[in-house]
């Protein structure tokens, strides 16, 4: 596996990160996960733009232009010959003796690598279980920062209860998943939390909102409560790796019929159809023929 670090493409045993890296000490950095479908990067531009925005929000200088970052992630894909998987790209503020305030004139550290993984076909087809968890994270969830302890704790709590994803609830309101955005469907209307400081504005979330528009599904970006979520006809969560995963239970209570719903299916089919690499490779057919009837 070839890694990227600070301008060089290296073998794993050649990549070294300092214990004084502020990412290691403080989680002082930002990151992105970019999907690869059949050898091609998906929505890379949007991810890189968000990376730059996240860096700006934590007042960190980005050492590369968006074009250079694009070349780096492309090379990680080709060098590692990844067909299905993702690129992980992270930028930390740099290396300095441990003091909280920003040290002067340090260089950000950029690390990237590629991961081979399959699409989560089982959960895409059968649906997944969610567990509600109190959202105790900070109030800048719009930043894709390395500070993920709140997310990690929530995901583990969900796993401990046999669920695949946590559903964050803050002040009684449903916010997002531990590593995903969430959507509910009630009486044909698609509901999701507005893009503000309480959630990360997911790239997949944006794709889904566009697909809903194309399909003439009415959308309301507004907050809803956990009891309202439980009363939805359909529910799903979205992320780069989870794509559009139907949530068939929340806290062990079935949502709608307790199976992936028809509008969720419609959005999944539309999602596949807008990825040229998937259409070309026949992955769409696989989903449609194997999945429960919509
Ligand atoms: C907290 C959180 N919300 C939402 C998302 C979904 O973002 P995206 O669709 O860009 O992967 C993620 C992805 O990791 C996340 O960690």
């Amino acid at each position: 596996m070839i890694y990227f670090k600070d301008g060089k493409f290296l073998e794993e045993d050649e990549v070294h990160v300092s214990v004084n890296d502020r990412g290691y000490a403080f989680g002082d950095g930002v990151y992105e996960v970019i999907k690869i479908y059949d050898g091609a990067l998906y929505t890379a531009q949007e991810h890189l733009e968000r990376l730059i925005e996240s860096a700006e929000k934590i007042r960190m200088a980005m050492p590369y232009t968006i074009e250079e970052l694009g070349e780096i992630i492309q090379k990680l894909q080709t060098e590692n010959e990844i067909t299905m998987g993702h690129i992980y790209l992270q930028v930390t503020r740099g290396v300095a003796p441990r003091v909280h305030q920003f040290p002067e004139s340090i260089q950000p550290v950029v690390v990237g690598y590629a991961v081979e993984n399959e699409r989560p076909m089982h959960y895409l087809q059968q649906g997944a279980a969610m567990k509600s968890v109190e959202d105790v994270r900070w109030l800048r969830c719009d930043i894709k920062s390395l500070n993920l302890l709140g997310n990690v704790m929530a995901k583990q709590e969900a796993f401990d209860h046999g669920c695949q994803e946590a559903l964050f609830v803050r002040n009684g309101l449903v916010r997002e998943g531990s590593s995903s955005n969430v959507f509910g469907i009630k009486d044909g209307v698609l509901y999701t939390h507005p893009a503000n400081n309480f959630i990360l504005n997911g790239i997949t979330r944006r794709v889904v909102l566009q697909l809903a528009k194309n399909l003439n599904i009415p959308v309301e970006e507004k907050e809803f409560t956990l009891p309202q979520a439980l009363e939805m006809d359909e529910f799903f969560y979205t992320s780069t790796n989870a794509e559009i995963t139907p949530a068939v239970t929340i806290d062990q209570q079935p949502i709608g019929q307790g199976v992936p719903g028809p509008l969720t299916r419609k959005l999944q089919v539309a999602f596949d159809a807008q990825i040229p690499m998937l259409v070309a490779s026949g992955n769409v057919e696989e989903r449609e023929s194997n999945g429960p009837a919509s």
Side-chain angles (χ1 to χ4, degrees):
M1 180 68 73
I2 302 294
Y3 286 65
F4 176 84
K5 178 161 185 280
D6 293 335
K8 297 196 189 81
F9 289 89
L10 304 162
E11 293 291 341
E12 183 173 1
D13 60 3
E14 298 172 320
V15 187
H16 301 292
V17 178
S18 168
V19 290
N20 282 319
D21 189 297
R22 288 178 63 92
Y24 185 56
F26 297 114
D28 187 359
V30 295
Y31 76 105
E32 279 296 329
V33 175
I34 302 150
K35 191 76 195 163
I36 301 165
Y37 288 111
D38 292 301
L41 297 166
Y42 174 68
T43 54
Q45 183 72 13
E46 289 83 348
H47 281 279
L48 295 178
E49 280 170 9
R50 187 175 62 184
L51 183 72
I52 290 168
E53 280 165 26
S54 291
E56 281 170 0
K57 287 174 179 178
I58 66 163
R59 296 166 56 194
M60 185 176 75
M62 186 61 83
Y64 298 112
T65 63
I66 195 161
E67 290 76 21
E68 288 166 334
L69 291 170
E71 284 163 23
I72 292 164
I73 60 172
Q74 185 56 61
K75 190 156 174 186
L76 283 172
Q77 184 275 320
T78 42
E79 288 284 314
N80 292 298
E81 297 177 4
I82 302 291
T83 48
M84 269 300 185
H86 66 250
I87 302 287
Y88 179 84
L89 185 63
Q90 101 169 21
V91 188
T92 65
R93 198 177 303 276
V95 177
R98 189 182 178 283
V99 292
H100 283 60
Q101 69 274 24
F102 304 163
E104 274 175 30
S105 58
I106 57 167
Q107 278 300 312
V109 174
V110 181
V111 172
Y113 57 85
V115 175
E116 186 106 51
N117 59 18
E118 291 302 314
R119 301 175 70 197
M121 292 314 290
H122 173 77
Y123 294 113
L124 290 173
Q125 291 167 355
Q126 309 299 324
M130 297 190 91
K131 157 119 187 31
S132 64
V133 175
E134 180 67 25
D135 190 353
V136 295
R137 299 174 301 163
W138 72 333
L139 295 171
R140 292 304 308 273
C141 301
D142 54 308
I143 302 172
K144 199 162 170 66
S145 95
L146 297 177
N147 284 277
L148 290 174
L149 195 51
N151 308 61
V152 166
M153 299 289 291
K155 182 81 90 185
Q156 186 59 43
E157 191 176 328
F159 268 61
D160 289 345
H161 288 79
C163 297
Q164 286 71 47
E165 178 59 308
L167 181 61
F168 274 131
V169 179
R170 196 198 292 263
N171 300 333
L173 299 171
V174 166
R175 304 298 186 177
E176 61 178 339
S178 69
S179 58
S180 59
N181 293 112
V182 296
F183 294 75
I185 298 168
K186 185 75 183 169
D187 299 328
V189 179
L190 183 65
Y191 294 91
T192 197
H193 195 283
N196 59 21
N197 64 305
F198 291 110
I199 68 159
L200 182 74
N201 186 1
I203 305 302
T204 323
R205 174 187 183 278
R206 302 178 207 179
V207 170
V208 166
L209 290 176
Q210 184 58 50
L211 293 175
K213 205 171 159 198
N214 300 347
L215 293 167
N216 292 319
I217 299 171
V219 173
E220 294 239 16
E221 290 183 64
K222 66 181 215 189
E223 294 157 337
F224 52 84
T225 63
L226 182 58
Q228 284 173 323
L230 294 169
E231 287 301 312
M232 294 282 183
D233 302 324
E234 303 180 36
F235 207 83
F236 61 86
Y237 59 89
T238 65
S239 77
T240 295
N241 273 311
E243 301 183 1
I244 300 174
T245 297
V248 291
T249 63
I250 299 174
D251 295 341
Q252 295 183 317
Q253 297 189 45
I255 304 302
Q257 304 302 309
V259 292
L263 280 182
T264 307
R265 285 283 179 233
K266 210 169 172 179
L267 285 164
Q268 286 183 316
V269 170
F271 183 85
D272 284 5
Q274 49 89 46
I275 304 175
M277 312 66 111
L278 280 185
V279 177
S281 69
N283 252 297
V284 179
E285 260 67 48
E286 195 183 317
R287 160 90 63 86
E288 282 169 351
S289 56
N290 289 353
S294 57

